[in-house]
Amino acid sequence: MPQTTEAIAAAQEPKSSRSPRIHRAWFVAAVTFVTITGAAAFRSLPGLLIDPLHQEFGWSRGTIGAAVSVNLALYGLTAPFAAALMDRFGIRRVVAVALTVIAVGSGLTVWMTTAWQLMLCWGLLVGLGSGSMALAFAATVTNRWFTTRRGLVSGILTAASASGQLIFLPLLSWMVETYDWRPAAVTVSLTALAVVPFVWLLLRDHPADVGQKPYGAEEFVPKPEPVTGAARRTVTVLLSAVRTGPFWLLAGTFAICGASTNGLIQTHFVPAAHDHGMPVTAAASLLAVIGVFDVAGTIASGWFTDRFEPRRLLAVYYALRGISLLFLPMLLAPSVHPPMIFFIVFYGLDWVATVPPTLALCREHYGEDSAIVFGWVLASHQVGAALVAFLGGVARDVFGSYDMVWYASGALCAAAALMALVIRQRAAVPVAVAA
């Protein structure tokens, strides 16, 4: 006779009622944080490569920006499928393979001689690998291991990418400036490889694997059976979500978020500052400082998300970001001065503070499928980033400066603030998935 769900849960639940002092969920969150931090090394490199590749190969900034845009677009478009693959094959397997692909793609760039090879290695391979462990990875871990404190945990895991930027940006910029861009690419490859055994040995897919309840849960949750048809499920969830208004508003605001962070500042801030006479190492150090305050801002945003209405938080974040971008052209100079430091601190606090409230709104509207829906929302984030990474390089080639890009991005952030306020508040409604 087939076992009932209750019987399976009873068999899986540990016999001892004694709870450990520190819940295993926090260890899993710590492993996830370290993993994302290590993989974030490659995210620090593209903005440092624009000038060196332009000087060595003669490629236009638009061409190099196109490769970065492919990377950013795939980073987003892969994420929803990766979330479904994690349901099918487990978190450990998907993340371990993703890190290996990143290592291969970054390592192969040292032998490239033509632009299409940059597109293949840095655009395709690194884009696919990074997308498989994007923020949808953090969302999956949060949803499986935590019932309470989800806002705080999502903020902490989101800050992991900024921590990686903080650790690796100064090192990579020093390598590029002192030696060449190739040692920096090899460093990224080796870092990704070094994280693989760490993930395989320490990460666990579900609380039931270690006989525990999710953190904050009242009852034991049995591990679900692997979900087959990952690609079909991912597309089915998308087709259901696109029929709802909140999805388009979340996707639109997050596209602007990506355009004004990964696409704009992370890709073009260093070359833009260098245009004004600032040394590359100084500009990269400023980006690293953004990472410092990004950690604090994202964790604080997670704390706020547990206590305040998410859509109002989003409106405030986007409005403040837009205002700061309008002032940036006046702040760029050959040296670092107090107004620029104020901008860096301010922008750092707001960098990915948008993620915890966006995740909360996805959970509110789409329930159990929220990780996959957030993966599609993240895809829009990266499409926005990809467009600005490319168009920013084209604008620099055409106008000779980045001023137009800063002003246009500031206006887009104002539009995102208004869009966030339009998102209606409602009870969680899971997206129906066809059997």
Side-chain angles (χ1 to χ4, degrees):
M1 180 181 295
Q3 290 182 299
T4 63
T5 302
E6 292 78 6
I8 296 173
Q12 290 180 320
E13 189 167 7
K15 303 300 181 183
S16 174
S17 60
R18 186 176 181 180
S19 299
R21 182 172 298 179
I22 300 178
H23 196 283
R24 182 63 178 266
W26 294 109
F27 290 103
V28 172
V31 173
T32 304
F33 184 93
V34 173
T35 303
I36 297 175
T37 299
F42 74 91
R43 298 292 307 281
S44 305
L45 194 55
L48 304 177
L49 294 182
I50 292 178
D51 285 337
L53 294 180
H54 173 70
Q55 293 168 6
E56 180 172 338
F57 298 106
W59 301 334
S60 70
R61 290 176 176 83
T63 298
I64 300 168
V68 177
S69 72
V70 171
N71 175 293
L72 293 172
L74 286 176
Y75 176 87
L77 294 172
T78 306
F81 293 95
L85 286 172
M86 288 177 187
D87 287 341
R88 174 67 179 88
F89 298 105
I91 298 173
R92 286 196 303 169
R93 293 179 181 177
V94 173
V95 173
V97 171
L99 286 166
T100 304
V101 172
I102 290 171
V104 171
S106 180
L108 288 177
T109 58
V110 301
W111 290 291
M112 69 182 179
T113 56
T114 59
W116 72 264
Q117 293 169 339
L118 177 66
M119 295 279 187
L120 173 64
C121 296
W122 204 263
L124 179 63
L125 293 178
V126 177
L128 288 173
S130 59
S132 298
M133 45 183 303
L135 291 175
F137 169 37
T140 301
V141 170
T142 303
N143 289 348
R144 289 187 183 184
W145 282 89
F146 291 86
T147 300
T148 59
R149 303 296 179 89
R150 281 177 168 175
L152 176 63
V153 174
S154 62
I156 293 173
L157 295 182
T158 302
S161 182
S163 299
Q165 177 176 293
L166 164 64
I167 295 169
F168 291 104
L169 251 179
L171 173 64
L172 295 177
S173 65
W174 174 79
M175 284 184 174
V176 171
E177 188 94 333
T178 306
Y179 299 104
D180 188 22
W181 60 269
R182 290 176 177 83
V186 172
T187 300
V188 168
S189 180
L190 294 177
T191 300
L193 275 180
V195 178
V196 173
F198 188 68
V199 167
W200 192 257
L201 294 173
L202 300 178
L203 195 63
R204 292 293 179 269
D205 293 331
H206 195 276
D209 290 340
V210 292
Q212 289 191 355
K213 305 172 185 176
Y215 181 83
E218 296 294 331
E219 298 179 355
F220 185 82
V221 178
K223 183 176 181 178
E225 292 296 321
V227 180
T228 58
R232 180 170 62 88
R233 180 181 177 225
T234 301
V235 174
T236 303
V237 169
L238 173 65
L239 293 176
S240 298
V242 296
R243 293 196 288 268
T244 65
F247 174 82
W248 291 106
L249 291 170
L250 289 168
T253 55
F254 225 42
I256 294 172
C257 178
S260 56
T261 52
N262 301 94
L264 182 64
I265 297 295
Q266 190 168 62
T267 303
H268 294 293
F269 178 80
V270 171
H274 191 56
D275 284 347
H276 287 76
M278 185 180 294
V280 171
T281 50
S285 296
L286 289 176
L287 272 185
V289 174
I290 284 181
V292 176
F293 289 94
D294 182 12
V295 174
T298 308
I299 294 175
S301 178
W303 188 85
F304 289 142
T305 302
D306 287 332
R307 290 159 176 79
F308 301 104
E309 190 176 343
R311 65 192 187 98
R312 296 188 184 276
L313 289 175
L314 284 178
V316 171
Y317 297 156
Y318 286 120
L320 293 176
R321 183 183 299 179
I323 293 171
S324 66
L325 283 173
L326 296 178
F327 284 96
L328 182 57
M330 296 179 282
L331 302 179
L332 291 170
S335 60
V336 179
H337 48 85
M340 173 57 78
I341 294 175
F342 179 81
F343 169 85
I344 292 297
V345 172
F346 187 88
Y347 213 82
L349 291 172
D350 193 43
W351 182 267
V352 285
T354 55
V355 172
T358 301
L359 268 171
L361 288 168
C362 284
R363 282 194 294 266
E364 177 181 316
H365 287 274
Y366 303 106
E368 292 298 321
D369 292 317
S370 61
I372 295 177
V373 173
F374 179 72
W376 284 113
V377 172
L378 177 64
S380 71
H381 180 282
Q382 295 308 117
V383 169
L387 286 173
V388 172
F390 171 65
L391 294 176
V394 172
R396 172 61 178 80
D397 291 332
V398 173
F399 299 109
S401 77
Y402 286 99
D403 289 357
M404 186 66 67
V405 184
W406 308 129
Y407 295 135
S409 297
L412 284 174
C413 288
L418 294 176
M419 292 167 64
L421 291 174
V422 175
I423 300 173
R424 67 182 183 275
Q425 188 175 14
R426 56 176 295 181
V429 179
V431 177
V433 178

